[in-house]
Amino acid sequence: MKAMIFAAGLGTRLRPITNTIPKALVPVGGVPMLERIILKMRDAGMDECVVNAYHFADKVVSFLESKDFGIPVKVSLESGSEPLETGGGIRHAGSLLGNGRFLVHNVDILSDLDVKSFLAADRPDSLATLLLVDREADRYLLFDDDMRLVGWTNAVTGDVKSPFPDFDPSRYHRYSFCGIHIVSDEVFGLMEEWPERFSIIDFYLKSAAVRPIFGVVATDLKLIDIGSPEKLAEAEENVLLFE
């Protein structure tokens, strides 16, 4: 199986660090985030990694060319005025991802996830299998008793999205998405009608009406989303918990 690593983000919340380097190359415990994720994918048995790049893409490419990770690593370069977001990034990398299911991992997620266990929990009949945690957040994905995706809600604003009519969010289980998912190559056909830039969550929410998308809840998962200087400092302090 191949893995795609989202590394195209501008990293605006990590400025001023990301004024000179891409977020993917910000070190945690002396090791760039991107290197940590590639090695995690290699150790989980992935055959190849595909990394998308936009912000300081030349530095990402130079870094990857300077290393031998033990598995092939290819780059999906994005150009234009803005990165393609998560959905557009996956579609743009389609020719590199090939046929079959693939794993997607945000570059700024540091966790102690047992990737092989997550792969074993995959629902191969699904359009995607999403890794979830049961913890407080502002936004949640909503699932039925069979853990099939049915909607989304913002707990702060009360906004709700669902492809199903007469949707009542209070009837469903709510979980936080970890930025790690297993995706079927079926998505590429369904993405043809979408614009150049789009969110994979928006895509999943629309597609859930026609194809099952399931969630897997990770219990006792240690995870840090390194999206701010405070979270970066927390990751630095606790990096040994993830090694």
Side-chain angles (χ1 to χ4, degrees):
M1 180 183 285
K2 294 183 180 181
M4 179 174 184
I5 302 172
F6 283 143
L10 301 179
T12 54
R13 291 181 297 162
L14 280 175
R15 289 174 179 165
I17 301 171
T18 49
N19 286 338
T20 55
I21 62 171
K23 177 172 63 175
L25 298 187
V26 173
V28 179
V31 181
M33 287 191 243
L34 179 56
E35 182 171 354
R36 286 186 175 276
I37 303 303
I38 293 174
L39 295 179
K40 191 177 187 72
M41 296 299 99
R42 181 201 66 189
D43 294 345
M46 295 292 118
D47 300 313
E48 183 177 298
C49 285
V50 175
V51 177
N52 71 338
Y54 176 84
H55 185 54
F56 291 121
D58 57 331
K59 295 187 177 184
V60 173
V61 171
S62 295
F63 172 76
L64 294 175
E65 289 178 344
S66 71
K67 294 277 186 174
D68 179 3
F69 297 101
I71 58 172
V73 180
K74 297 180 179 178
V75 180
S76 175
L77 288 173
E78 298 181 12
S79 60
S81 60
E82 297 177 282
L84 297 175
E85 297 190 33
T86 47
I90 288 174
R91 181 175 60 189
H92 187 69
S95 62
L96 298 177
L97 293 167
N99 300 322
R101 299 177 78 80
F102 53 94
L103 186 144
V104 177
H105 198 301
N106 289 2
V107 76
D108 54 2
I109 297 295
L110 185 66
S111 79
D112 65 349
L113 174 68
D114 183 336
V115 177
K116 291 182 179 179
S117 293
F118 178 48
L119 294 174
D122 181 29
R123 302 277 290 260
D125 58 327
S126 69
L127 186 65
T129 299
L130 317 182
L131 185 71
L132 313 169
V133 289
D134 185 6
R135 62 180 60 170
E136 291 297 317
D138 292 341
R139 296 175 295 275
Y140 297 95
L141 293 178
L142 302 172
F143 295 82
D144 65 15
D145 290 342
D146 192 37
M147 289 304 295
R148 179 170 177 169
L149 179 67
V150 292
W152 170 96
T153 187
N154 185 315
V156 177
T157 65
D159 290 343
V160 174
K161 297 179 184 178
S162 175
F164 301 104
D166 303 319
F167 183 75
D168 179 0
S170 66
R171 296 174 51 201
Y172 299 99
H173 308 284
R174 63 185 202 176
Y175 296 101
S176 299
F177 177 47
C178 294
I180 304 170
H181 36 140
I182 302 166
V183 186
S184 167
D185 59 359
E186 286 184 65
V187 297
F188 298 118
L190 296 172
M191 287 175 172
E192 289 179 357
E193 64 185 57
W194 284 71
E196 184 179 28
R197 300 175 63 250
F198 62 95
S199 158
I200 193 62
I201 293 298
D202 288 344
F203 171 80
Y204 284 157
L205 288 169
K206 181 177 180 180
S207 301
V210 294
R211 290 289 289 116
I213 296 167
F214 293 104
V216 172
V217 181
T219 57
D220 302 319
L221 180 71
K222 297 182 181 68
L223 181 146
I224 298 177
D225 181 348
I226 308 172
S228 67
E230 294 76 19
K231 287 296 183 180
L232 177 59
E234 181 182 343
E236 288 278 4
E237 292 175 4
N238 295 280
V239 68
L240 293 179
L241 297 176
F242 304 99
E243 295 183 339

